[in-house]
């Protein structure tokens, strides 16, 4: 197992190199630059800025260390993501950390909603196979899986914020300055205190982001439960006189969880890193919104920083999921 | 999004997107405010392009633009249609000052194009209108494209790009037709002229080069007699506008705001010299009644 983990970690190096190189070249192939203005900067100021950010060098050249690519890779090898080209007094790593705190809260909240709601709906559907509740569940699954989150978000805003006035439209209501890297810090635990959350700002973005995975989880749970419920050991459990709840929870749900768990891990990574549009619709200052802005602003530092961060995050998440399989399903062994 | 937050009571003060102007103006008649934004937008023309060196062609294009209709269709009547480059408040002319010379006139537009050697648009090259990708920018370009086809029977292509690309192409002078303009830095007519319309000016990306304008700029630039200086800039404004020297102005922009009745202490300073908020409203004095 240890050798497997080390091998996977080593494989991440060429993966990251490929992503960095492709993104770097594509980014520079697009017209416009970070200092493009309809009313241009004075020439002397532009020259100074270009020199500061190495934009006066060729993007890539045979003398690789005297090119923009070479400078970037050298800094990256020293774990330096550089400065933002747009928010010029801030480090990219600081901006990502600040934004990720919010994106992580949003993603995990949506994930928890999706797991609870999706599993419950899938189980209820399976237990009422071809009944009215099953049709309701299937209908929700189809609608939820078909509707893009930015459209759902807009509908939610109009109905529940503007018309009914139950929730807010702008911003995020999670606790600020969450020290998510450090469980020993008191600031790490503040997310677990309901008083620190403004649910008026949290509910709608969580629903907008969480409905699609909830619908997907419901479909998989329903299918998996239907398969398990038809197994001989379920009939045996019932014939032994176990209560229906015991049969469902102890024998059916537990065995139906394996295929569900296999999709949960990638979905958690997807929810944490894939909230660009929801963050934009609800004006949430997460790393996704910063990424979208950085593309429009040609903020090369932020584009590269967020891309590397997302790549590394997803790679680690996939590794975590693969390791989790081995614990859930004893038949899986890594060597 | 800001409008929804305003409706919801999360915001007490917000600017209004012109795409929603009519709805919000109707919805909040007592909370809606409009102020002249010190900016002018128009159709900029790259005068290095052979066909656009011809004044008749530039006049034909300018006279094919129905500025009232453009204002109604694209920004729901939110701006002030204008044929003057410099706004009157900054020492220019009234918005309708040059309607007769460059304003909408289908018959004269056709005649100018014929005089340029393209009767009924025959043989006129396909020009590209370069715009940003905001809904109102694209709507403006499509309106112009339709107007040129309907009035002049000429084809144009709309190329919509993102902001950074648009700026880059503009400063590199890689455009033919370009809806653009100017927002003043300070309220004086020289800010609307220097560097923008003098030959070789650093911001003269449309390459306007007119000896009469250059001569007047030389006189006005260091003129210590303020009355005479202002008159000279007014004359320059007339030359820029009527000769369509790099731009056919089509409107002055307005700022639109929604301000909740709960906000108190707002008093507009009539200088209108603040481009980021409505007038100079002395924000430090604002407060909430409750």
């Amino acid at each position: 197992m240890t050798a497997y983990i080390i091998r996977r970690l080593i494989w991440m190096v060429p993966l990251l190199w490929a992503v960095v190189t492709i993104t770097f070249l594509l980014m520079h192939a697009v017209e416009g630059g970070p200092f493009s203005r309809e009313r241009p900067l004075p020439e002397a100021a532009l020259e100074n800025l270009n020199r500061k950010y190495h934009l006066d060098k060729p993007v890539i050249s045979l003398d690789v260390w005297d090119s923009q690519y070479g400078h970037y890779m050298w800094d990256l090898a020293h774990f330096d993501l550089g400065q933002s080209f747009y928010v010029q007094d801030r480090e990219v790593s600081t901006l990502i950390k600040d934004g990720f705190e919010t994106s992580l809260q949003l993603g995990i909240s949506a994930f928890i909603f999706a797991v609870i709601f999706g599993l419950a709906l899938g189980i209820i559907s399976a237990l009422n196979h071809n009944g009215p509740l099953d049709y309701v569940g299937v209908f929700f699954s189809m609608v939820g899986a078909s509707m893009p989150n930015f459209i759902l978000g807009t509908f939610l805003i109009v109905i529940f914020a503007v018309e009914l006035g139950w929730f807010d439209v702008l911003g995020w209501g999670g606790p600020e300055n969450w020290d998510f890297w450090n469980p020993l810090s008191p600031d790490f635990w503040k997310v677990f205190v309901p008083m620190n959350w403004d649910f008026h700002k949290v509910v709608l973005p969580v629903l907008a982001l969480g409905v699609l995975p909830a619908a997907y989880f419901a479909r998989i749970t329903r299918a998996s439960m239907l398969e398990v419920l038809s197994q001989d050991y379920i009939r045996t459990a019932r014939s032994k006189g176990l209560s229906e709840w015991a049969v469902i929870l102890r024998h059916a749900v537990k065995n139906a969880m394996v295929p569900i768990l296999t999709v949960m891990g990638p979905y958690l990574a997807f929810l944490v890193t894939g909230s660009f549009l929801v963050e934009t619709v609800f004006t949430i200052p997460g790393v996704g919104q910063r990424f979208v802005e950085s593309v429009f602003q040609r903020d090369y530092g932020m584009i590269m920083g967020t891309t590397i961060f997302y790549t590394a995050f997803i790679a680690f998440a996939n590794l975590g999921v693969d390791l989790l399989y081995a614990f859930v399903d004893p038949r899986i062994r890594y060597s | 999004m800001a409008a929804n937050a305003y409706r919801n009571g999360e915001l007490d003060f917000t600017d209004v997107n012109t795409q929603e102007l009519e709805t919000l103006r109707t919805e909040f008649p007592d909370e809606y405010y409009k102020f002249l934004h010190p900016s002018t937008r128009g159709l900029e023309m790259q005068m290095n392009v052979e066909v656009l060196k011809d004044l008749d062609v530039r006049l034909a294009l300018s006279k094919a633009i129905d500025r009232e209709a453009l204002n109604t269709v694209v920004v729901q009547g939110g701006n002030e249609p204008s044929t003057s480059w410099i706004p009157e408040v900054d020492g220019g002319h009234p918005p309708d000052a040059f309607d007769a010379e460059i304003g909408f006139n289908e018959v004269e537009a056709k005649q100018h194009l014929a005089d340029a050697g393209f009767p009924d648009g025959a043989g006129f090259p396909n020009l590209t209108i370069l715009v940003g990708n905001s809904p109102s920018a694209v709507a403006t370009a499509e309106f112009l494209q339709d107007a040129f086809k309907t009035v002049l029977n000429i084809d144009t292509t709309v190329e919509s790009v993102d902001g950074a690309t648009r700026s880059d192409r503009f400063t590199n002078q890689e455009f033919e037709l370009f809806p653009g303009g100017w927002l003043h830095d300070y309220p004086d007519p020289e800010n609307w002229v220097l560097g923008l319309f003098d030959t070789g000016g650093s911001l003269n990306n449309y390459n306007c080069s007119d000896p009469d304008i250059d001569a007047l700029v030389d006189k006005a630039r260091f003129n210590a007699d303020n009355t005479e200086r202002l008159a000279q800039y007014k004359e320059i404004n007339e030359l820029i506008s009527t000769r369509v020297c790099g731009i056919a102005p089509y409107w002055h922009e307005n700022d639109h705001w929604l301000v909740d009745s709960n906000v108190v202490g707002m008093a507009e300073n009539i200088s209108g010299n603040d481009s980021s908020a409505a007038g100079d409203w002395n924000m430090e004095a604002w407060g909430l009644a409750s």
Side-chain angles (χ1 to χ4, degrees):
Chain A
M1 178 72 91
T2 308
Y4 173 80
I5 294 172
I6 292 170
R7 203 161 56 241
R8 284 286 297 265
L9 290 174
I10 291 171
W11 264 109
M12 283 184 198
V13 176
L15 170 76
L16 280 170
W17 172 79
V19 170
V20 167
T21 304
I22 291 168
T23 307
F24 192 90
L25 295 177
L26 283 176
M27 181 178 76
H28 282 277
V30 177
E31 279 185 282
F35 309 119
S36 296
R37 306 277 188 281
E38 189 174 337
R39 194 184 299 198
L41 296 170
E43 208 162 312
L46 193 58
E47 277 177 19
N48 282 335
L49 284 168
N50 284 341
R51 196 177 312 117
K52 177 182 175 184
Y53 290 104
H54 307 300
L55 296 179
D56 55 340
K57 311 272 185 206
V59 173
I60 193 161
S61 69
L62 288 176
D63 180 8
V64 72
W65 299 116
D66 195 36
S67 67
Q68 294 179 45
Y69 177 73
H71 277 285
Y72 190 81
M73 293 305 285
W74 177 258
D75 290 341
L76 190 59
H78 294 80
F79 300 102
D80 179 5
L81 293 175
Q83 275 192 313
S84 165
F85 285 56
Y86 196 74
V87 192
Q88 288 179 19
D89 58 342
R90 301 288 302 276
E91 296 281 331
V92 167
S93 52
T94 309
L95 290 171
I96 290 175
K97 181 179 172 296
D98 290 350
F100 189 62
E101 165 192 315
T102 303
S103 295
L104 194 61
Q105 288 177 10
L106 171 61
I108 290 177
S109 303
F111 181 74
I112 292 170
F113 161 78
V115 168
I116 294 173
F117 193 71
L119 291 190
L121 201 65
I123 292 169
I124 291 169
S125 286
L127 295 178
N128 296 277
H129 189 42
N130 289 336
L133 286 175
D134 186 22
Y135 292 133
V136 170
V138 170
F139 177 76
F140 167 81
S141 302
M142 285 182 63
V143 172
S146 313
M147 190 175 288
N149 54 26
F150 60 93
I151 292 183
L152 177 64
T154 308
F155 276 121
L156 291 173
I157 286 171
V158 171
I159 296 168
F160 294 104
V162 177
E163 294 299 326
L164 298 174
W166 293 353
F167 301 106
D168 289 350
V169 177
L170 298 176
W172 175 245
E176 291 179 12
N177 302 318
W178 176 34
D179 193 1
F180 57 90
W181 298 113
N182 183 10
L184 299 177
S185 162
D187 283 342
F188 176 84
W189 298 99
K190 59 169 61 169
V191 289
F192 300 103
V193 181
M195 299 281 284
N196 290 333
W197 292 76
D198 179 356
F199 289 99
H200 285 98
K201 290 184 183 295
V202 168
V203 171
L204 296 187
V206 165
L207 282 178
L209 188 61
V211 161
L212 188 145
Y216 192 58
F217 291 164
R219 288 172 61 181
I220 294 182
T221 305
R222 177 180 178 274
S224 184
M225 279 290 288
L226 286 176
E227 188 184 335
V228 168
L229 286 171
S230 64
Q231 297 294 317
D232 290 342
Y233 59 81
I234 296 293
R235 194 181 309 119
T236 305
R238 283 182 176 139
S239 66
K240 286 167 75 178
L242 283 178
S243 71
E244 190 62 15
W245 278 111
V247 172
I248 290 165
L249 292 178
R250 199 180 305 160
H251 297 280
V253 172
K254 190 177 173 189
N255 286 295
M257 282 300 288
V258 174
I260 301 164
L261 276 177
T262 60
V263 296
M264 276 185 182
Y267 254 102
L268 175 60
F270 164 75
L271 287 174
V272 172
T273 59
S275 53
F276 307 163
L277 294 172
V278 170
E279 287 179 14
T280 303
V281 168
F282 288 91
T283 329
I284 294 171
V287 73
Q289 195 191 31
R290 281 196 196 284
F291 181 63
V292 173
E293 286 171 357
S294 69
V295 172
F296 286 119
Q297 293 158 350
R298 304 288 192 277
D299 185 343
Y300 294 153
M302 273 304 286
I303 293 172
M304 292 305 300
T306 41
T307 305
I308 292 166
F309 179 74
Y310 278 160
T311 307
F313 184 85
I314 289 172
F316 276 106
N318 284 339
L319 174 60
V321 170
D322 289 346
L323 297 179
L324 196 63
Y325 291 163
F327 289 104
V328 174
D329 188 344
R331 291 169 297 182
I332 297 173
R333 286 284 178 271
Y334 295 116
S335 59
Chain B
M1 192 51 59
N4 281 333
Y6 184 83
R7 287 188 180 102
N8 197 29
E10 284 174 69
L11 295 177
D12 295 308
F13 176 90
T14 183
D15 59 340
V16 174
N17 184 336
T18 50
Q19 304 289 305
E20 303 174 90
L21 182 60
E22 199 49 51
T23 308
L24 293 169
R25 204 158 41 185
T26 310
E27 198 174 337
F28 302 102
D30 299 330
E31 298 168 32
Y32 166 76
Y33 296 85
K34 181 177 86 170
F35 294 93
L36 182 68
H37 193 62
S39 83
T40 302
R41 309 289 289 180
L43 181 63
E44 298 183 0
M45 306 179 193
Q46 179 49 263
M47 292 178 64
N48 278 346
V49 172
E50 197 56 38
V51 75
L52 293 172
K53 289 178 181 171
D54 190 330
L55 176 59
D56 274 316
V57 170
R58 301 200 302 274
L59 285 170
L61 293 174
S62 179
K63 290 186 178 195
I65 303 170
D66 183 345
R67 289 157 174 80
E68 290 288 345
L70 177 67
N71 186 42
T72 305
V73 170
V74 175
V75 291
Q76 305 189 5
N79 291 333
E80 303 292 331
S82 175
T83 46
S84 166
W85 167 245
I86 304 178
E88 194 174 12
V89 292
D90 278 1
H93 290 80
D96 59 354
F98 307 116
D99 282 4
E101 289 85 356
I102 64 168
F104 180 56
N105 187 321
E106 289 188 60
V107 175
E108 289 182 12
K110 285 184 173 66
Q111 188 57 51
H112 280 297
L113 198 63
D115 292 346
F118 305 103
D120 196 31
F124 194 84
N126 188 320
L127 296 177
T128 298
I129 305 172
L130 180 68
V131 282
N133 53 8
S134 72
S136 64
V138 174
T140 300
E142 288 174 347
F143 181 95
L144 295 171
Q145 182 184 42
D146 184 61
F148 296 149
K149 183 67 183 173
T150 308
V151 177
L152 302 173
N153 193 32
I154 61 175
D155 291 316
T156 48
T157 303
V158 173
E159 185 180 4
S160 172
V161 294
D162 74 330
T165 304
R166 174 179 172 273
S167 299
D168 211 40
R169 296 256 200 103
F170 181 65
T171 49
N172 291 329
Q173 304 181 4
E174 295 166 356
F175 66 92
E176 292 171 333
L177 301 174
F178 182 93
W182 185 252
L183 164 67
H184 85 186
D185 301 302
Y186 52 95
D188 190 279
E190 74 166 15
N191 185 240
W192 292 85
V193 174
L194 298 184
L196 289 162
F197 292 97
D198 40 334
T199 300
S202 60
L203 301 169
N204 185 354
N205 291 313
Y206 24 79
N207 291 297
C208 164
S209 180
D210 186 309
D212 295 336
I213 293 175
D214 289 342
L216 274 167
V217 167
D218 286 342
K219 287 180 193 167
R221 188 193 299 256
F222 302 114
N223 194 340
D225 181 338
N226 198 44
T227 309
E228 193 177 84
R229 187 183 71 90
L230 292 176
Q232 285 163 339
Y233 277 116
K234 209 158 186 171
E235 203 177 332
I236 293 170
N237 182 47
E238 184 172 351
L239 290 177
I240 293 167
S241 304
T242 57
R243 293 181 184 179
V244 196
C245 198
I247 187 164
Y250 48 67
W251 62 41
H252 300 309
E253 288 180 310
N254 282 316
D255 277 332
H256 307 272
W257 301 91
L258 292 175
V259 183
D260 190 274
S261 54
N262 197 33
V263 177
V264 295
M266 301 176 75
E268 192 209 355
N269 181 326
I270 55 168
S271 78
N273 188 28
D274 190 332
S275 61
S276 61
D280 180 0
W281 279 1
N282 193 17
M283 287 183 178
E284 298 86 347
W286 294 7
L288 294 175
S290 59

